[in-house]
Amino acid sequence: MRGRALGLCAMVAVTVVALALPALAHHTDQVDPNDTDGKLDLEQVTFDHEDALTWQLSTFSSWTVRSLWDRGTFIVQLDTKGDTAPDLIAVVRSDGRRLVAALYRLRRDGREIELTALRTDKDGSKAVTLTVPLREVSIGPNRISYSWSVLSSFTGGNCARTCLDAVPEEGMIEQPLPGVTPSPTPSPTPSPTPSPTPSAAPTS
């Protein structure tokens, strides 16, 4: 069962790479239209990064933990390298009794390396909250931002094939690091204009 969940995770990761074009924005909270079949059509994503990276993912339809068992997942993709492709993914799934989450590193060969378990909670009948501690996210010392996006997947009912919903629809959300202000790009210093050289007086 866990292997099947990770297999789905790999498929989703490939889909995300295709969606993660460099159409970046600087917004935090995202509203998504009712445009996907299945229980996990995302309606809104709310992001808080004050103490930890915390996403609340809200759907149009109600769902239960049991209804997601081996059928549905929520995935947050993180790009910490600035190459518009996710290098970390946080996966939320159901084990039949509760929601569980883990953070994975995506290798270039497509393999997923599990790093740590994460905190996740069901929030009412239509939402889930996922928290990624900042200490678990390695961002280079010269970086001033990272990027994220969200994907839900569900199989079953009117989703004979897996129904996917991405927020944003294209690209990723660029998020400045807390307390970091981008340095202004200095304007080029104009080259001094040389003074004209006086011409020699004509001789008689």
Side-chain angles (χ1 to χ4, degrees):
M1 203 172 303
R2 182 170 179 269
R4 181 173 173 182
L6 292 184
L8 176 61
C9 177
M11 178 201 68
V12 170
V14 171
T15 304
V16 169
V17 171
L19 292 173
L21 303 174
L24 304 182
H26 288 275
H27 307 292
T28 297
D29 299 340
Q30 299 286 303
V31 176
D32 195 60
N34 189 347
D35 57 358
T36 303
D37 290 333
K39 291 180 177 292
L40 302 187
D41 182 9
L42 293 165
E43 180 178 14
Q44 184 172 359
V45 176
T46 303
F47 179 56
D48 181 11
H49 57 92
E50 185 174 355
D51 297 318
L53 309 183
T54 303
W55 290 266
Q56 183 188 60
L57 315 179
S58 302
T59 59
F60 284 96
S61 301
S62 300
W63 48 272
T64 63
V65 171
R66 186 165 184 81
S67 69
L68 298 194
W69 185 28
D70 219 19
R71 290 186 172 187
T73 57
F74 296 97
I75 297 181
V76 172
Q77 298 83 217
L78 288 165
D79 168 24
T80 66
K81 299 179 180 179
D83 56 5
T84 71
D87 48 270
L88 294 172
I89 54 172
V91 182
V92 180
R93 61 182 182 85
S94 167
D95 67 2
R97 296 176 294 107
R98 60 192 179 96
L99 293 178
V100 293
L103 183 67
Y104 299 84
R105 181 171 299 282
L106 289 180
R107 294 173 56 97
R108 292 186 180 275
D109 59 8
R111 287 193 301 157
E112 305 136 7
I113 308 300
E114 183 170 350
L115 300 178
T116 186
L118 298 174
R119 177 178 175 180
T120 186
D121 298 289
K122 196 171 190 303
D123 194 354
S125 62
K126 300 181 179 182
V128 60
T129 300
L130 171 68
T131 300
V132 178
L134 277 171
R135 66 179 180 273
E136 303 295 347
V137 180
S138 299
I139 300 177
N142 297 323
R143 303 271 303 146
I144 61 172
S145 66
Y146 57 95
S147 300
W148 60 268
S149 60
V150 171
L151 192 72
S152 68
S153 67
F154 186 79
T155 305
N158 55 348
C159 291
R161 297 182 177 180
T162 302
C163 292
L164 302 173
D165 193 20
V167 177
E169 296 291 340
E170 293 183 358
M172 303 182 81
I173 308 299
E174 184 177 353
Q175 186 68 45
L177 289 171
V180 174
T181 302
S183 301
T185 302
S187 301
T189 303
S191 302
T193 303
S195 302
T197 303
S199 302
T203 56
S204 305

